[in-house]
Each structure stands twice: as C-alpha cells, then as structure tokens.
Amino acid sequence: MYYNNIQTPVLIKTGKNILNDLDSILASAHLYFPHKILVTQENLYETYHEKLDGNHFDNVIFCRGGEFAEASELIPQVQDADAVLIAFGGGSVLDIVKYVASRLNMAFITVPSALSNDAIYSSVARLTVNRKKKSFNVQLPLGVILDLAVLKTAPRALLLAGAGDLITNISAVEDWTLATEINGETSNGLAMMLSKQAALSIWNFSANDLYTDNFLSALGHGLLTSGLSMNIAGSTRACSGSEHMISHAIDEYFPDKATMHGLQVAWAFREIERQIRKNDDMLEMVEEFYDRIGLTAVISEYIPWKSEDLMMLIPYALKIRKRFTVLNTVKL
Ligand SMILES: [Zn+2]
C-alpha cells in the first residue's frame, strides 16, 4: 500500500545517574538476552566501574575505538556469544561497535559518554583506514540510553561539536530542497521536517545552558531525531549536505588539518552561507547562534582554515560523493 514501514529504536531512556540501572532499564523495556557484553574504553571503565558494576555483564571488552583495523581484534571476541553488545563511550567507541555488531548481525545498544555527533543513532560508522576517516553502512542500534550525569562530564568543545553537527541539518535540508527544485530529485517531507525540527530544538540555548539537563536532553534527543530522519529518508541526505561534503573532503584530502566532525561542518555551514548561499537573514541567525552558544570561539580555536580556503576545498568536496548541493552552483 502507500505506507512506509520505519525501523525505530525499541528503547530510548534519558535520565540522571542511570548507568547502574542498565539491567533494569532493559528489563522494563522487555529486552532479554542470554548474555550481555560491555564494550568500552579502559579509562572510561576505570572512571565509571562502580556504576557499571551495578549491572551484570558476561564479559567486559576494552577497545580503543575509531580504527577500522580494530574490528578484526573485536570480532573473534564476540562472534560466538549469543549476546547483546552494550557500547559505552564516545563516537569512536560507538562507531567500532556499530560496525562489529553489523558485521555479525548482533543486537547492540549505545550508551554515549559524549554527544559530539549523531553517531549515537545513525546507520553510518566513521572509522579510520590508513589515517583517513571512511564511512561504513551499519545497522541501527536497538536502543539508546542517555545518562545526563555522564554526558555532563564531556569537554565543552565536544558538546559544541555535537551542537554543530545538529544545527547544520538546516544546511542539509536547504541542499536537499535545492536538489529537488533544480535537479529533479525526490524529497521526503517527513525526513526533512524531522531533521529541521531536531536542529531548531537547540536554537534558543546559550553558552550558559551547555551543562544543564535541558540542553543535554535537547541535544541528545535532537541527534537521535537526526538519525531517525536519515533512517526515514533511507540515506544521510536529511542531515548531510554541502557542509558535510566539505568536512569529509578535509578528512580525506587534508587529514593532518582535520579536527572534530561537528566543528568542521559548523565552520563549513557558516562559510557556505557567507560566500555561496548569501542569504543575509539566515547568515545573521547562524552567526548570532554561533556567538551565543560558543561555536564562534571554539571554531576559531580548533579550525585551521580561513574563510578564503572554502573555494579551494570545493573541488575536493565535489569528488567526495555524487550528491547535488549548492556547491554544484558555484562557478569555479
Ligand atoms: Zn554529521
């Protein structure tokens, strides 16, 4: 018929100091598995072991995270276990667990320790191969558990990177709209709506709010909604446009000058508004938001690129993937 069937997470739980309640959270969602394996980084386990030990794990596996090569070390450790994997850590831990679980068709749940990008619920894992970040298609997590007490310990720059990844949904939706208008592509109104609403959910916050429960919940739920919008769209289109192509081009062609994904896309979004889209109202709103939330300062601290470098990066971005965006309208 004319309806879409959408895969959605079976468990979303947000709360404070819930890291020691993982067992009861799974039980109350009626999720029962013969075994449960925690995959995390050793230093994170040391920090949180008292809370984590309040749960039953059949095995605790330490990983470094982020490197594709590590998958071949992790797969033999989990492949014969009839288990759910609990991935606890930052984006690099979540991404390697997503990849390993997908390769083995195992269920997994993400418990992020930071909200630096939409890795918490997305069907893409970014892993380093030969010093360069590559994207891998992966299965979605069964659920996401957000412990606000843990997320509150994240460095400020990581939180702002998460805000950057989320706010740039606006740019991705602009690009998708353009592609439907002048390139005849099909759109998905529901995916676009969710992506944009997710971004707007953090629009009114300021730097002083970063460590509040309200902001952390909004950021976490916004990143989750972003993942859902990509799932509905069946591609990353809803949350990844020209600004992501610039960021991926930096990762691919200038890995020595690459930094956090969320900061790179935020920088690219602002420069694309300034130099290509030239929508004064949007630019004013973006600049005001960046100033108020603290992105302007953290971008100048972490991003080595100058405004004029954008044009130089465009040909590299166009090589990254065949996706029509505002970059295709630039006369080079
Ligand atoms: Zn992103």
Side-chain angles (χ1 to χ4, degrees):
M1 281 292 289
Y2 299 111
Y3 297 96
N4 294 319
N5 287 313
I6 305 162
Q7 201 182 342
T8 60
V10 296
L11 165 67
I12 299 283
K13 177 75 184 177
T14 308
K16 226 171 173 174
N17 294 314
I18 55 174
L19 206 54
N20 48 347
D21 289 334
L22 300 181
D23 286 351
S24 59
I25 290 168
L26 295 190
S28 60
H30 299 280
L31 292 172
Y32 299 103
F33 297 90
H35 302 284
K36 199 147 53 359
I37 298 175
L38 175 68
V39 187
T40 188
Q41 279 169 331
E42 196 167 0
N43 62 333
L44 263 180
Y45 184 77
E46 274 165 22
T47 308
Y48 291 106
H49 75 93
E50 278 174 21
K51 289 181 172 183
L52 289 164
D53 291 347
N55 305 289
H56 171 77
F57 294 110
D58 296 275
N59 197 358
V60 178
I61 296 174
F62 296 132
C63 69
R64 298 181 299 279
E67 293 275 344
F68 175 77
E70 197 177 17
S72 58
E73 294 168 38
L74 293 174
I75 285 173
Q77 298 184 66
V78 297
Q79 64 184 357
D80 296 326
D82 186 8
V84 63
L85 301 181
I86 309 287
F88 173 53
S92 62
V93 172
L94 306 190
D95 278 351
I96 191 70
V97 176
K98 282 156 73 175
Y99 179 77
V100 166
S102 301
R103 279 276 305 272
L104 299 171
N105 200 21
M106 291 175 85
F108 67 102
I109 287 169
T110 57
V111 187
S113 63
L115 295 172
S116 59
N117 57 48
D118 54 25
I120 59 172
Y121 187 73
S122 83
S123 56
V124 177
R126 296 276 295 166
L127 296 168
T128 307
V129 184
N130 296 330
R131 290 177 51 245
K132 288 178 183 175
K133 291 255 184 189
K134 303 265 182 220
S135 295
F136 295 87
N137 287 328
V138 292
Q139 290 172 13
L140 286 162
L142 206 54
V144 183
I145 298 172
L146 300 172
D147 186 333
L148 299 174
V150 174
L151 298 173
K152 219 163 256 193
T153 64
R156 205 180 146 74
L158 278 185
L159 279 179
L160 287 166
D165 202 18
L166 184 51
I167 210 70
T168 57
N169 286 6
I170 293 168
S171 173
V173 172
E174 291 261 322
D175 279 325
W176 199 359
T177 306
L178 186 76
T180 60
E181 284 170 2
I182 66 173
N183 202 36
E185 289 181 32
T186 52
S187 63
N188 183 320
L190 178 61
M192 287 168 145
M193 179 191 83
L194 286 175
S195 167
K196 206 165 168 179
Q197 287 300 321
L200 293 177
S201 70
I202 58 162
W203 193 261
N204 291 322
F205 287 101
S206 306
N208 289 340
D209 302 317
L210 285 182
Y211 287 95
T212 63
D213 293 349
N214 273 348
F215 175 77
L216 291 167
S217 300
L219 180 60
H221 296 166
L223 294 170
L224 264 165
T225 310
S226 292
L228 196 58
S229 73
M230 291 189 267
N231 193 23
I232 289 167
S235 81
T236 58
R237 211 15 155 158
C239 305
S240 172
S242 49
E243 73 302 321
H244 272 67
M245 287 165 66
I246 294 284
S247 173
H248 292 325
I250 293 171
D251 292 341
E252 174 70 24
Y253 299 105
F254 304 93
D256 296 340
K257 294 177 91 173
T259 182
M260 277 176 271
H261 169 79
L263 298 182
Q264 287 183 169
V265 293
W267 172 77
F269 177 27
R270 188 186 65 193
E271 294 309 321
I272 288 165
E273 286 302 321
R274 275 182 186 163
Q275 301 178 54
I276 306 174
R277 291 201 187 101
K278 295 180 181 168
N279 173 343
D280 289 344
D281 291 342
M282 177 60 85
L283 178 60
E284 199 179 314
M285 289 195 291
V286 168
E287 287 181 335
E288 193 274 326
F289 173 73
Y290 279 24
D291 286 348
R292 174 160 41 84
I293 200 84
L295 267 168
T296 309
V298 86
I299 283 173
S300 35
E301 190 183 335
Y302 282 85
I303 300 282
W305 306 98
K306 297 191 168 51
S307 285
E308 51 269 33
D309 294 325
L310 178 71
M311 292 296 163
M312 181 280 289
L313 289 167
I314 292 176
Y316 295 101
L318 293 172
K319 283 197 276 184
I320 283 291
R321 65 157 66 108
K322 292 249 169 302
R323 173 169 287 181
F324 189 92
T325 68
V326 75
L327 301 182
N328 294 84
T329 67
V330 178
K331 297 222 175 352
L332 295 164

